[in-house]
Amino acid sequence: MDITTPSSLADLQKLDEYQRSTSHIFPGIQSIRWYVRQHREDLVRSGALLTIAGRHWVQPVKFDRCVIALGEGIAA
């Protein structure tokens, strides 16, 4: 997946907020934390996951795209 121009900081969500909005895929906070551990490199490379001040932040549109690409077996 190509890295594109960063989006607005207002578009970022905390990891737990994103998990709640995608609970049909990640039923609990531990499930999304596991997913991040397993796919950190792809998520960061795609711009989907950022670490700011020691906290994980999600760019929802990019995270969605990365999850779909990885699920399809396409390198993100």
Side-chain angles (χ1 to χ4, degrees):
M1 186 173 292
D2 293 332
I3 297 174
T4 59
T5 305
S7 61
S8 167
L9 291 176
D11 294 337
L12 299 177
Q13 292 182 352
K14 292 180 182 178
L15 188 64
D16 61 332
E17 293 171 359
Y18 179 76
Q19 178 275 319
R20 283 193 297 274
S21 70
T22 57
S23 62
H24 61 291
I25 302 295
F26 303 108
I29 190 65
Q30 293 304 324
S31 63
I32 197 165
R33 286 181 181 158
W34 176 88
Y35 191 87
V36 167
R37 283 193 306 273
Q38 298 302 309
H39 300 286
R40 177 183 304 276
E41 186 176 319
D42 292 313
L43 292 165
V44 170
R45 184 176 38 243
S46 69
L49 181 70
L50 298 93
T51 303
I52 303 171
R55 294 188 177 154
H56 289 307
W57 293 88
V58 171
Q59 201 298 327
V61 172
K62 292 179 183 179
F63 204 102
D64 289 355
R65 288 181 188 154
C66 189
V67 169
I68 291 168
L70 289 169
E72 292 174 339
I74 302 169

